[in-house]
Amino acid sequence: MFVQNAPADTTSYMLIGFALIFGTIGLYVLSLYVRSRNLKKDLAVLAEVEPRQED
Amino acid sequence: MDATPRGLKILTWITFGLFALASYAVLVYAPREAVMGDVQRVFYFHVAAGWVGALAFLVAVIAGVVYLVTKNRTWDTVGLSSIEIGVVFTFINIVTGSVWARPIWNTWWTWDPRLVTATVMELVYIAYLMLRQGIDDPDRRARFGAVYAIIGFLSVPLTFLSIRIFRTIHPVVIGSTDPGAEGSFDMTAKMLQAFMFSLITFTFIYVTLLWHRIQLQHQADRVGQEKARLLAD
């Protein structure tokens, strides 16, 4: 009667675990993308400023 | 403007494919564990994330030593990039461990040697990232980073060995016969295949992210140089 004969129902914890794994990796990749995009914008602005200074 | 190198593009797609396959392996291919149920599937990526954390911090040590010898700033970039990725994956390792522990140990957190040493290790490297921000001189910052990465690495073997030298309830899945460990299990052949494949996949993820992060740092350095040049004109 007290012997466990089926696996524990822990599916919800598995889903939380994988959501955290995929979410954290996804956020880090997104942060790399956003930082790269911002740096490209900075470079474009700097390239625009340079000819004006030469004028 | 720097375009993404062709090799990095190919590596990114390979890594993406491997990650999809590894997800299939752990979620579908590997059998459900007989006692713990589905939450055991978190174990594959939990250990793989811990492996990436340790590997990243080891690479930072090597980069630190090479920087101190050569004074080539590229190695500082490698060290910084590696530690940033290590912090992300150690975070994954800690939180997935906590999620696994809730149904198995009946608690989200316990003051177990493995959990404490892993958290201390994470904090040591978060401190590295924060302290770097406070140093303006690039050479001093790189020197500090190199020395910190070498000394901070002491926390990595301590974390790895904590479940082998202290009394702990954290399972040692590989090579353990400790009856005190709660949540240990024997891996079937399919489980072992999924586990090994996850380790390989996460190593690919690490290398890919490291390359992207180094590219990003080169971009940041170029912006810094351009700004300095404009201010000097």
Side-chain angles (χ1 to χ4, degrees):
Chain A
M1 179 180 172
F2 296 108
V3 177
Q4 180 181 342
N5 53 14
D9 181 12
T10 53
T11 309
S12 56
Y13 291 101
M14 179 195 76
L15 293 174
I16 295 169
F18 280 101
L20 283 166
I21 293 164
F22 294 133
T24 307
I25 294 174
L27 276 176
Y28 184 64
V29 170
L30 184 69
S31 92
L32 289 178
Y33 170 74
V34 169
R35 282 186 280 176
S36 174
R37 196 190 55 184
N38 290 344
L39 286 168
K40 279 177 184 165
K41 277 183 190 170
D42 285 354
L43 269 179
V45 170
L46 288 168
E48 260 180 46
V49 169
E50 198 170 19
R52 272 189 230 154
Q53 277 198 345
E54 283 169 4
D55 287 344
Chain B
M1 230 170 269
D2 287 340
T4 307
R6 192 175 143 78
L8 181 53
K9 278 182 189 166
I10 293 168
L11 182 64
T12 304
W13 281 109
I14 290 171
T15 303
F16 192 77
L18 284 174
F19 192 44
L21 280 175
S23 300
Y24 174 80
V26 304
L27 289 169
V28 182
Y29 179 73
R32 182 185 290 148
E33 207 274 332
V35 178
M36 290 183 274
D38 280 328
V39 76
Q40 179 273 336
R41 295 180 193 278
V42 169
F43 148 85
Y44 303 105
F45 285 180
H46 165 75
V47 177
W51 153 248
V52 167
L55 176 67
F57 299 144
L58 177 66
V59 168
V61 170
I62 296 165
V65 170
V66 177
Y67 172 77
L68 290 174
V69 173
T70 63
K71 302 291 179 208
N72 181 344
R73 198 89 61 73
T74 304
W75 291 103
D76 178 51
T77 300
V78 174
L80 167 65
S81 305
S82 195
I83 285 180
E84 190 179 284
I85 295 164
V87 165
V88 171
F89 280 85
T90 304
F91 172 77
I92 290 174
N93 176 257
I94 292 169
V95 294
T96 52
S98 181
V99 169
W100 173 86
R102 181 65 186 91
I104 306 304
W105 293 347
N106 203 30
T107 182
W108 295 103
W109 174 266
T110 178
W111 294 100
D112 182 84
R114 167 51 73 85
L115 276 64
V116 173
T117 50
T119 306
V120 167
M121 178 178 76
E122 176 78 338
L123 293 173
V124 162
Y125 285 103
I126 288 173
Y128 165 94
L129 295 175
M130 292 169 77
L131 289 169
R132 272 186 73 102
Q133 308 274 334
I135 304 171
D136 289 331
D137 177 34
D139 288 327
R140 232 182 111 217
R141 189 169 55 220
R143 210 164 49 245
F144 161 81
V147 174
Y148 193 112
I150 294 164
I151 296 170
F153 188 74
L154 287 174
S155 62
V156 178
L158 183 66
T159 302
F160 178 75
L161 293 171
S162 60
I163 51 176
R164 290 166 176 86
I165 55 178
F166 297 118
R167 278 174 67 89
T168 172
I169 59 168
H170 190 287
V172 184
V173 175
I174 298 164
S176 169
T177 51
D178 182 4
E182 292 181 25
S184 57
F185 61 98
D186 290 323
M187 275 194 273
T188 64
K190 281 188 172 182
M191 285 175 167
L192 191 62
Q193 287 160 9
F195 176 58
M196 296 311 291
F197 193 70
S198 299
L199 285 181
I200 294 166
T201 299
F202 270 61
T203 308
F204 267 82
I205 293 173
Y206 165 69
V207 173
T208 308
L209 288 175
L210 182 67
W211 196 345
H212 277 290
R213 182 63 184 80
I214 289 169
Q215 290 285 113
L216 181 73
Q217 196 59 37
H218 285 155
Q219 259 184 306
D221 290 345
R222 250 202 29 243
V223 170
Q225 283 164 8
E226 285 292 312
K227 278 181 184 169
R229 198 172 59 81
L230 279 174
L231 286 171
D233 286 346

